[in-house]
Amino acid sequence: MTEISNALGVPGTGGGNAAASRDSLGETFDNFLTLLTTQLQYQDPLSPMDSTQFTEQLVHFTNVEQGIAQNEKLEELLAQNSFNTTAQAVGFIGKEVEMFGEFVVVGEGGPTDMSVMSYGLAREASETTISIIDESGEVVRELFGKTAAGAHELTWDGRDENGIPVPPGIYAIQVEAVGSNGEPIGTAGRTEAVVQAVSTNNGKTYLDIGGIDIPLEDVIAIRQQPEQASAETPE
């Protein structure tokens, strides 16, 4: 019986799609029964098949089938959890979210129309340079930032070095700060943006903030927009 099992390649329960594993198991078990019937038909009467091996083989198939059934239930639970997460995330549409990242989403009305970026300095710097980079990797504007330690909001009018408004899109922000001796100082950026849509991909939930998808787990804060908050406040 061991020879039959090895020749057929009994599927395992770890990894892969449970439905595909069940189909493979069914085909393998059919082949196993065919070979078993043939072996029983032509076995040596003076040396009959070991019933212990036969029983072990059936138990093995039963354990594999149970493992695949458990995988199917787990996949169903994960799918349901993903759906529930997405359904809850729909409530974030129109809300302002804050996440780690150094970029600004520029809309038709300029950078503040879609998102705001802030940066932090680990300690006081002698000089802080901010480079604004478009999606092709070109620097469209360089600014001098604040030098005091702590958090600062990026002030940018959405124009390039020639004073021309940049087209809508996603612009990376590169902050570089140095101390009095020219040594680099650590920086960290955060971006605030308004959620426009929610989507899922491979079981993960993403928030669309003007054309860029942000994983839900990257969000560190969610706030009501000021105009929404004031509109909902009773007189």
Side-chain angles (χ1 to χ4, degrees):
M1 300 299 293
T2 304
E3 291 78 4
I4 294 177
S5 174
N6 290 340
L8 291 175
V10 178
T13 60
N17 183 272
S21 297
R22 179 173 291 279
D23 292 340
S24 176
L25 177 66
E27 181 180 355
T28 300
F29 193 63
D30 289 341
N31 292 336
F32 163 72
L33 291 178
T34 299
L35 291 174
L36 176 62
T37 303
T38 303
Q39 187 171 350
L40 288 173
Q41 182 179 356
Y42 293 102
Q43 66 177 323
D44 185 355
L46 299 179
S47 181
M49 183 183 305
D50 188 346
S51 60
T52 301
Q53 289 187 353
F54 172 71
T55 302
E56 290 177 350
Q57 188 70 56
L58 291 178
V59 171
H60 178 60
F61 271 104
T62 301
N63 290 338
V64 171
E65 185 175 18
Q66 290 177 348
I68 292 176
Q70 292 175 352
N71 283 355
E72 287 181 334
K73 293 297 182 182
L74 179 58
E75 288 180 357
E76 291 176 4
L77 290 174
L78 291 175
Q80 183 64 37
N81 182 67
S82 176
F83 174 80
N84 292 339
T85 301
T86 302
Q88 294 174 357
V90 169
F92 298 159
I93 296 177
K95 300 292 194 304
E96 184 179 84
V97 296
E98 181 179 349
M99 70 221 78
F100 289 112
E102 299 179 343
F103 63 90
V104 168
V105 181
V106 177
E108 295 293 341
T112 57
D113 181 55
M114 299 296 295
S115 64
V116 175
M117 185 263 175
S118 60
Y119 61 95
L121 302 181
R123 54 190 177 85
E124 185 174 357
S126 61
E127 181 177 277
T128 302
T129 304
I130 301 173
S131 299
I132 301 173
I133 306 168
D134 64 17
E135 295 181 44
S136 65
E138 297 292 328
V139 176
V140 299
R141 184 79 177 269
E142 283 193 348
L143 304 169
F144 288 107
K146 302 291 181 62
T147 57
H152 307 283
E153 187 173 299
L154 171 65
T155 302
W156 176 43
D157 57 7
R159 299 175 181 271
D160 62 17
E161 295 288 359
N162 299 318
I164 301 175
V166 300
I170 302 168
Y171 292 80
I173 308 298
Q174 181 176 310
V175 181
E176 295 181 336
V178 296
S180 56
N181 296 325
E183 73 280 8
I185 294 177
T187 65
R190 294 187 178 188
T191 296
E192 300 174 7
V194 177
V195 178
Q196 297 182 321
V198 176
S199 63
T200 59
N201 186 17
N202 292 329
K204 296 185 65 175
T205 301
Y206 294 87
L207 306 181
D208 180 347
I209 54 169
I212 181 172
D213 290 332
I214 301 297
L216 181 59
E217 58 265 28
D218 289 353
V219 174
I220 58 178
I222 302 172
R223 290 183 287 270
Q224 191 87 320
Q225 288 188 269
E227 58 270 20
Q228 292 179 344
S230 61
E232 296 175 0
T233 302
E235 296 182 358

